[in-house]
Amino acid sequence: EITVGTTLTSATEVYADLVTGVPASKELGGYDFTVPFGTRLMLCSPSVANEGNRMDFSVANAPDVFNGYDSSDNGAYSLYFGGEGNLTAATPLYNRFGSNFYSMLLVTKDHETYLLVGDNPDNFVIYPVSQTIGCPAPLTMAAGEVNTAAKADEGTTRNVSMWLSASGPIMFDGAAISSIRGIENFFDPNNDEYIE
């Protein structure tokens, strides 16, 4: 214990009147799911607050800090995807287009798909990809790599996201949404092999 006015003579002693940090906390509301994007944690769809199309984000390199300039500041700078309707799924996607590499966040609703690009609040941009194709089955969304060539030893490997849409399995590589070939018959109501 050091009393005020005491002269410290050793470098290992502690200054009693030095404050290096003040812990503070603020309770966040409930979110439907989270997803990492770059060096941030994204909190998605606070549907309990009737803002299911909203996404909040942490400070860069601090997934536990949600206040201050570099964050969505507990809703002050949130990202909003389309109109009403909850976000259902999201996954990061990295791909090369030409000689450039891009980091994107694929975000879906039941019948809508969006891309979020950028790495900070000043340059985040939301692009609509589809207003008719979404992901009503969020646990089906997965990311992986596929070869884009007809032959396995040719072509470029691309990172893709795949999920089950209302019209069947979908694949997206950051540029175009396409149905997954070879299993369309299971998702065609006019086919005998249709899976209801």
Side-chain angles (χ1 to χ4, degrees):
E1 184 176 321
I2 301 171
T3 58
V4 175
T6 303
T7 303
L8 300 176
T9 56
S10 168
T12 59
E13 292 179 333
V14 178
Y15 292 96
D17 61 351
L18 177 64
V19 177
T20 58
V22 178
S25 64
K26 187 171 186 175
E27 189 173 317
L28 295 172
Y31 291 82
D32 292 352
F33 63 98
T34 63
V35 64
F37 180 51
T39 62
R40 299 176 188 276
L41 179 64
M42 312 302 269
L43 304 178
C44 305
S45 194
S47 57
V48 295
N50 293 323
E51 289 190 294
N53 64 337
R54 178 176 130 193
M55 181 181 287
D56 290 329
F57 50 92
S58 72
V59 171
N61 298 307
D64 57 341
V65 178
F66 288 89
N67 64 342
Y69 163 74
D70 194 39
S71 74
S72 58
D73 205 8
N74 198 32
Y77 305 106
S78 298
L79 302 170
Y80 291 89
F81 293 81
E84 293 181 13
N86 294 349
L87 304 178
T88 58
T91 188
L93 196 57
Y94 308 94
N95 263 326
R96 185 181 78 187
F97 297 101
S99 61
N100 297 317
F101 286 90
Y102 292 93
S103 174
M104 305 162 273
L105 183 65
L106 174 69
V107 180
T108 61
K109 294 181 170 187
D110 281 343
H111 301 286
E112 299 172 32
T113 303
Y114 298 89
L115 272 181
L116 173 66
V117 296
D119 58 5
N120 66 65
D122 293 331
N123 67 11
F124 280 146
V125 179
I126 298 170
Y127 293 105
V129 174
S130 175
Q131 298 300 310
T132 57
I133 298 173
C135 182
L139 296 179
T140 65
M141 185 172 279
E145 296 178 355
V146 297
N147 191 322
T148 59
K151 296 181 181 178
D153 59 345
E154 298 176 1
T156 305
T157 300
R158 310 269 302 162
N159 290 310
V160 298
S161 181
M162 295 173 267
W163 68 91
L164 186 60
S165 75
S167 60
I170 297 295
M171 182 170 61
F172 180 70
D173 68 352
I177 293 179
S178 60
S179 60
I180 297 176
R181 295 183 199 113
I183 56 175
E184 300 94 342
N185 52 319
F186 299 116
F187 297 93
D188 180 0
N190 299 319
N191 194 300
D192 292 339
E193 297 179 308
Y194 174 63
I195 300 172
E196 202 166 322

